[in-house]
Amino acid sequence: MKQEGQPIAMLTAYDYPMATLVDASDIDAILVGDSLGNVVLGYESTVPVTMDDIIHHLRAVTRGTKRAMVVGDMPFLSYHISREESVRNAGRIMQEGLAQAVKLEGGSEVAETVRAITNAGIPVMGHLGLTPQSVHQLGGYKVQGKGGDAARKLLEDAKSLEEAGAFAIVLECIPQQLAKLITESISIPTIGIGAGADCDGQVLVIQDLLGMYADFTPKFVKKYANLKEQIVQACQDYREEVKARSFPGPEHTFNMAEEELKKLY
């Protein structure tokens, strides 16, 4: 798709019903991201997400996906302790989670881990810029690569990941000029989130796109719907009808035959 100039559309999904809807929209790829820690499990960061969490949600998503490529995030500390453990955990995401690829954060410091995982026959997507698993080290959710030295490091990191065998790289919260340079400097696709329109593709969190997750809305998010208001209103309407005993109505109710009812008295 990069070679043909076709932009790649990617979204997150974390459960079976959402995966079926996203897949039906002809989205190219679905990411079961560790962002599920924030938007599904209610954590303040992605750090508490475990391998079992990712695998549990991956299995639900892959059951609901027929055509999109499914990528599973490798959570915090699942690829940092040793190369052997990294390959084993990546293998679990493929074998138990039924994903088609894994994603991990970091640049040149994880290049040899990427090489080891790809050598095991597992496709790896990289992730540079704002890397949420390192948010405490980065000092918060901030745009990365704004200075010349930091930008040069990200460019070198992207080349290192490509050389190590990564098939694509997510670029998160970096200046659009840097994202464009990285995209033009490597042969593998870049998937942007807060990185401008010059990346080879884009990814968003589905709850952000649908206007469901209202705790915080990053600048790079475009809300294509406002389901939060609709869902809250629907729940309020339900509550009011229950209180008024107008739900359930006759059309929602089952009945016994009169002769069968008489047997109870």
Side-chain angles (χ1 to χ4, degrees):
M1 292 178 73
K2 174 164 182 158
Q3 291 172 353
E4 296 175 358
Q6 298 182 36
I8 300 163
M10 187 175 190
L11 284 172
T12 67
Y14 310 101
D15 56 33
Y16 174 85
M18 190 63 77
T20 60
L21 297 175
V22 172
D23 195 55
S25 70
D26 289 339
I27 287 293
D28 299 308
I30 295 175
L31 172 65
V32 181
D34 56 4
S35 48
L36 73 89
N38 305 87
V39 299
V40 177
L41 302 179
Y43 296 131
E44 292 185 357
S45 74
T46 64
V47 172
V49 176
T50 66
M51 279 291 300
D52 288 341
D53 290 333
I54 290 290
I55 289 170
H56 174 82
H57 288 269
L58 262 171
R59 290 179 70 86
V61 168
T62 53
R63 283 193 290 268
T65 305
K66 303 302 181 186
R67 61 167 303 281
M69 179 183 191
V70 179
V71 182
D73 247 340
M74 296 193 70
F76 182 65
L77 282 187
S78 67
Y79 56 95
H80 302 84
I81 297 173
S82 71
R83 297 218 183 105
E84 292 76 12
E85 184 171 345
S86 300
V87 173
R88 186 179 302 111
N89 285 329
R92 287 190 63 197
I93 287 175
M94 304 289 285
Q95 192 171 47
E96 299 175 41
L98 305 179
Q100 281 96 50
V102 304
K103 181 175 78 66
L104 54 80
E105 297 178 3
S108 56
E109 70 278 5
V110 299
E112 290 309 312
T113 298
V114 171
R115 194 185 310 278
I117 295 172
T118 57
N119 284 344
I122 300 170
V124 177
M125 177 179 286
H127 186 154
L128 294 172
L130 175 57
T131 46
Q133 292 174 15
S134 306
V135 65
H136 300 302
Q137 189 178 46
L138 296 174
Y141 295 95
K142 301 176 181 178
V143 177
Q144 303 296 306
K146 294 177 75 172
D149 291 341
R152 189 176 298 106
K153 171 69 162 60
L154 287 175
L155 177 58
E156 292 170 355
D157 283 342
K159 292 178 179 179
S160 293
L161 291 175
E162 178 183 24
E163 196 275 331
F167 73 91
I169 303 174
V170 170
L171 301 177
E172 180 168 1
C173 281
I174 67 172
Q176 61 177 347
Q177 298 89 345
L178 174 59
K180 183 176 188 293
L181 177 59
I182 292 174
T183 301
E184 294 171 347
S185 299
I186 59 177
S187 62
I188 60 176
T190 59
I191 311 294
I193 177 166
D198 293 308
C199 296
D200 297 304
Q202 301 292 328
V203 61
L204 281 179
V205 171
I206 187 68
Q207 281 81 356
D208 288 338
L209 178 149
L210 295 175
M212 296 173 63
Y213 181 64
D215 290 4
F216 173 69
T217 302
K219 177 182 179 179
F220 56 76
V221 168
K222 178 177 179 179
K223 293 184 179 181
Y224 288 81
N226 192 352
L227 295 193
K228 178 190 175 185
E229 291 183 3
Q230 295 181 45
I231 292 169
V232 170
Q233 185 61 56
C235 293
Q236 289 175 340
D237 293 345
Y238 163 76
R239 174 181 57 81
E240 291 174 6
E241 290 191 8
V242 168
K243 298 291 186 181
R245 294 190 185 279
S246 60
F247 175 83
E251 67 273 29
H252 311 114
T253 305
F254 304 99
N255 292 290
M256 291 177 64
E258 192 66 30
E259 60 272 19
E260 298 298 325
L261 182 60
K262 290 178 180 179
K263 296 177 183 179
L264 300 177
Y265 296 95

Short mmCIF file of all heavy atoms in Angstrom, two decimals, residues 148-175:
data_model
loop_
_atom_site.label_atom_id
_atom_site.label_comp_id
_atom_site.label_asym_id
_atom_site.label_seq_id
_atom_site.Cartn_x
_atom_site.Cartn_y
_atom_site.Cartn_z
N GLY A 148 15.99 19.73 17.52
CA GLY A 148 16.78 19.11 16.47
C GLY A 148 17.42 17.79 16.88
O GLY A 148 17.36 16.81 16.13
N ASP A 149 18.02 17.75 18.07
CA ASP A 149 18.70 16.52 18.52
C ASP A 149 17.69 15.40 18.75
O ASP A 149 17.92 14.24 18.35
CB ASP A 149 19.47 16.79 19.81
CG ASP A 149 20.67 17.70 19.59
OD1 ASP A 149 21.12 17.82 18.42
OD2 ASP A 149 21.17 18.29 20.57
N ALA A 150 16.56 15.74 19.38
CA ALA A 150 15.54 14.72 19.64
C ALA A 150 14.94 14.22 18.33
O ALA A 150 14.66 13.02 18.17
CB ALA A 150 14.44 15.30 20.54
N ALA A 151 14.75 15.12 17.37
CA ALA A 151 14.20 14.73 16.07
C ALA A 151 15.16 13.81 15.33
O ALA A 151 14.75 12.81 14.73
CB ALA A 151 13.90 15.97 15.24
N ARG A 152 16.45 14.14 15.38
CA ARG A 152 17.46 13.31 14.72
C ARG A 152 17.48 11.91 15.33
O ARG A 152 17.61 10.91 14.61
CB ARG A 152 18.83 13.96 14.84
CG ARG A 152 19.91 13.29 14.00
CD ARG A 152 21.23 14.03 14.08
NE ARG A 152 21.13 15.39 13.56
CZ ARG A 152 21.11 16.48 14.33
NH1 ARG A 152 21.21 16.36 15.65
NH2 ARG A 152 21.02 17.68 13.79
N LYS A 153 17.31 11.83 16.65
CA LYS A 153 17.29 10.53 17.33
C LYS A 153 16.09 9.70 16.85
O LYS A 153 16.22 8.49 16.60
CB LYS A 153 17.21 10.75 18.84
CG LYS A 153 16.97 9.48 19.67
CD LYS A 153 18.17 8.56 19.64
CE LYS A 153 18.14 7.53 20.76
NZ LYS A 153 16.94 6.65 20.73
N LEU A 154 14.94 10.32 16.69
CA LEU A 154 13.76 9.59 16.24
C LEU A 154 13.94 9.10 14.79
O LEU A 154 13.53 7.99 14.45
CB LEU A 154 12.51 10.45 16.34
CG LEU A 154 12.00 10.69 17.77
CD1 LEU A 154 10.83 11.67 17.77
CD2 LEU A 154 11.58 9.36 18.42
N LEU A 155 14.58 9.90 13.96
CA LEU A 155 14.85 9.48 12.59
C LEU A 155 15.79 8.28 12.58
O LEU A 155 15.57 7.31 11.85
CB LEU A 155 15.45 10.64 11.80
CG LEU A 155 15.88 10.34 10.35
CD1 LEU A 155 14.71 9.84 9.52
CD2 LEU A 155 16.51 11.59 9.72
N GLU A 156 16.83 8.34 13.40
CA GLU A 156 17.76 7.21 13.50
C GLU A 156 17.06 5.98 14.06
O GLU A 156 17.32 4.85 13.62
CB GLU A 156 18.95 7.61 14.38
CG GLU A 156 19.84 8.69 13.75
CD GLU A 156 20.87 9.23 14.72
OE1 GLU A 156 20.82 8.83 15.91
OE2 GLU A 156 21.71 10.05 14.31
N ASP A 157 16.18 6.19 15.03
CA ASP A 157 15.44 5.07 15.62
C ASP A 157 14.57 4.39 14.56
O ASP A 157 14.49 3.15 14.51
CB ASP A 157 14.55 5.55 16.76
CG ASP A 157 15.33 5.82 18.04
OD1 ASP A 157 16.47 5.32 18.16
OD2 ASP A 157 14.81 6.54 18.92
N ALA A 158 13.92 5.19 13.72
CA ALA A 158 13.06 4.63 12.67
C ALA A 158 13.88 3.77 11.71
O ALA A 158 13.47 2.66 11.33
CB ALA A 158 12.35 5.75 11.91
N LYS A 159 15.05 4.25 11.34
CA LYS A 159 15.92 3.48 10.44
C LYS A 159 16.40 2.20 11.13
O LYS A 159 16.51 1.15 10.48
CB LYS A 159 17.10 4.34 10.00
CG LYS A 159 16.69 5.50 9.10
CD LYS A 159 17.89 6.37 8.71
CE LYS A 159 17.50 7.51 7.79
NZ LYS A 159 18.65 8.37 7.43
N SER A 160 16.66 2.28 12.43
CA SER A 160 17.10 1.09 13.17
C SER A 160 16.01 0.04 13.21
O SER A 160 16.27 -1.17 13.06
CB SER A 160 17.49 1.48 14.60
OG SER A 160 18.64 2.31 14.61
N LEU A 161 14.77 0.48 13.41
CA LEU A 161 13.65 -0.47 13.46
C LEU A 161 13.43 -1.12 12.10
O LEU A 161 13.19 -2.34 12.01
CB LEU A 161 12.38 0.24 13.91
CG LEU A 161 12.34 0.70 15.37
CD1 LEU A 161 11.07 1.49 15.64
CD2 LEU A 161 12.43 -0.48 16.33
N GLU A 162 13.54 -0.33 11.04
CA GLU A 162 13.40 -0.90 9.70
C GLU A 162 14.51 -1.93 9.44
O GLU A 162 14.24 -3.04 8.96
CB GLU A 162 13.47 0.19 8.64
CG GLU A 162 13.38 -0.36 7.23
CD GLU A 162 13.52 0.70 6.16
OE1 GLU A 162 14.10 1.76 6.44
OE2 GLU A 162 13.04 0.45 5.03
N GLU A 163 15.72 -1.58 9.79
CA GLU A 163 16.85 -2.48 9.56
C GLU A 163 16.72 -3.76 10.37
O GLU A 163 17.15 -4.84 9.94
CB GLU A 163 18.16 -1.75 9.91
CG GLU A 163 19.41 -2.40 9.38
CD GLU A 163 19.93 -3.51 10.29
OE1 GLU A 163 19.70 -3.40 11.51
OE2 GLU A 163 20.57 -4.45 9.78
N ALA A 164 16.07 -3.65 11.54
CA ALA A 164 15.90 -4.83 12.41
C ALA A 164 14.77 -5.73 11.95
O ALA A 164 14.61 -6.83 12.46
CB ALA A 164 15.65 -4.37 13.85
N GLY A 165 13.97 -5.26 10.98
CA GLY A 165 12.93 -6.12 10.42
C GLY A 165 11.51 -5.70 10.67
O GLY A 165 10.58 -6.41 10.27
N ALA A 166 11.28 -4.56 11.33
CA ALA A 166 9.92 -4.09 11.55
C ALA A 166 9.24 -3.86 10.21
O ALA A 166 9.86 -3.41 9.26
CB ALA A 166 9.92 -2.81 12.38
N PHE A 167 7.93 -4.15 10.13
CA PHE A 167 7.22 -3.98 8.86
C PHE A 167 6.46 -2.66 8.79
O PHE A 167 5.98 -2.27 7.72
CB PHE A 167 6.24 -5.15 8.62
CG PHE A 167 5.00 -5.11 9.48
CD1 PHE A 167 3.85 -4.46 9.05
CD2 PHE A 167 4.99 -5.72 10.72
CE1 PHE A 167 2.71 -4.43 9.82
CE2 PHE A 167 3.86 -5.69 11.51
CZ PHE A 167 2.71 -5.04 11.06
N ALA A 168 6.33 -1.96 9.91
CA ALA A 168 5.66 -0.66 9.96
C ALA A 168 6.02 0.00 11.28
O ALA A 168 6.48 -0.67 12.22
CB ALA A 168 4.14 -0.81 9.81
N ILE A 169 5.78 1.32 11.37
CA ILE A 169 6.07 2.05 12.60
C ILE A 169 4.96 3.05 12.87
O ILE A 169 4.60 3.85 12.00
CB ILE A 169 7.41 2.82 12.51
CG1 ILE A 169 8.57 1.88 12.17
CG2 ILE A 169 7.69 3.57 13.81
CD1 ILE A 169 9.89 2.61 11.92
N VAL A 170 4.41 3.00 14.09
CA VAL A 170 3.49 4.03 14.55
C VAL A 170 4.31 5.24 14.99
O VAL A 170 5.29 5.11 15.72
CB VAL A 170 2.62 3.52 15.72
CG1 VAL A 170 1.84 4.66 16.36
CG2 VAL A 170 1.66 2.44 15.24
N LEU A 171 3.91 6.43 14.54
CA LEU A 171 4.53 7.68 14.95
C LEU A 171 3.49 8.47 15.73
O LEU A 171 2.49 8.91 15.17
CB LEU A 171 5.00 8.48 13.74
CG LEU A 171 6.03 7.82 12.81
CD1 LEU A 171 6.33 8.72 11.63
CD2 LEU A 171 7.31 7.48 13.58
N GLU A 172 3.74 8.65 17.03
CA GLU A 172 2.73 9.29 17.89
C GLU A 172 3.23 10.63 18.43
O GLU A 172 4.31 10.72 19.01
CB GLU A 172 2.35 8.38 19.06
CG GLU A 172 1.31 9.00 19.99
CD GLU A 172 0.71 8.03 20.98
OE1 GLU A 172 1.10 6.84 20.97
OE2 GLU A 172 -0.15 8.46 21.76
N CYS A 173 2.42 11.64 18.24
CA CYS A 173 2.65 12.97 18.81
C CYS A 173 4.05 13.50 18.50
O CYS A 173 4.83 13.77 19.42
CB CYS A 173 2.40 12.95 20.32
SG CYS A 173 0.67 13.02 20.74
N ILE A 174 4.34 13.63 17.22
CA ILE A 174 5.60 14.27 16.80
C ILE A 174 5.24 15.34 15.77
O ILE A 174 4.18 15.28 15.13
CB ILE A 174 6.61 13.26 16.22
CG1 ILE A 174 6.11 12.66 14.90
CG2 ILE A 174 6.91 12.15 17.23
CD1 ILE A 174 7.15 11.80 14.20
N PRO A 175 6.10 16.34 15.55
CA PRO A 175 5.81 17.38 14.57
C PRO A 175 5.60 16.78 13.18
O PRO A 175 6.27 15.82 12.78
CB PRO A 175 7.06 18.26 14.61
CG PRO A 175 7.66 18.03 15.97
CD PRO A 175 7.37 16.59 16.27
#
